[in-house]
Amino acid sequence: MKASLIVLFAIGTVSAALSQSVKVKVEDIVVKFELPPMMTNRVTMVPLRGIVDAMGATMRWNLEKETVSIWKGNRRIDFVLNSRSANVNNKRMEMEEAPFMHKARIFVPLKFIAIAAGYVTSQEKGWYVLRPVGK
């Protein structure tokens, strides 16, 4: 009986933690997501459009090839859905998890998109905060 109560408590605690909303800022800009971020194998995945807009970057989606290109300053990021490989300024990088489509939105690993666009991430008072490298 005690073991089953402990298991139920642990499952409830994990579920509550995962159901809490992931909050993201790019410097002082609160990122507005059309769908809530989610966890995939312990990786925070965020809808791409919201983060790109908050960074002031531009994006192009090729539906036929399922490719995404993002430009932020002098950086170019290219990747294909469902592949962990990406190119950042023509240098190959591996993502923690492959980007995917969910409810007509592209989800990407938060840490990858931040680093690729020239940001560092920190966690501050319940927020993921992205700041340009060197600030």
Side-chain angles (χ1 to χ4, degrees):
M1 181 68 166
K2 277 187 177 180
S4 59
L5 286 176
I6 291 170
V7 169
L8 287 174
F9 175 76
I11 290 171
T13 303
V14 170
S15 297
L18 291 178
S19 67
Q20 291 177 359
S21 178
V22 173
K23 300 183 294 184
V24 180
K25 290 183 190 177
V26 176
E27 296 185 79
D28 293 327
I29 299 168
V30 174
V31 180
K32 297 183 193 284
F33 296 112
E34 293 177 355
L35 293 174
M38 59 180 75
M39 298 296 284
T40 303
N41 297 323
R42 295 185 177 180
V43 176
T44 303
M45 304 293 286
V46 295
L48 184 60
R49 173 57 69 188
I51 201 87
V52 165
D53 289 348
M55 289 177 175
T58 56
M59 177 177 110
R60 183 178 311 150
W61 161 243
N62 183 317
L63 180 63
E64 288 179 14
K65 296 181 180 180
E66 294 190 330
T67 59
V68 175
S69 295
I70 301 165
W71 294 268
K72 170 68 177 149
N74 63 354
R75 293 175 181 260
R76 179 177 173 157
I77 306 158
D78 297 291
F79 62 86
V80 179
L81 284 188
N82 303 310
S83 170
R84 291 180 56 191
S85 295
N87 287 310
V88 179
N89 290 343
N90 294 316
K91 291 184 183 175
R92 186 180 169 107
M93 286 182 70
E94 289 293 316
M95 294 183 247
E96 302 158 294
E97 285 292 323
F100 59 86
M101 184 77 74
H102 175 70
K103 294 187 179 181
R105 299 293 178 260
I106 299 167
F107 281 73
V108 297
L110 175 60
K111 183 178 176 182
F112 164 77
I113 198 66
I115 291 168
Y119 291 84
V120 293
T121 60
S122 62
Q123 287 188 317
E124 301 171 19
K125 299 179 185 174
W127 290 83
Y128 285 99
V129 180
L130 284 61
R131 291 192 174 81
V133 171
K135 275 196 172 181

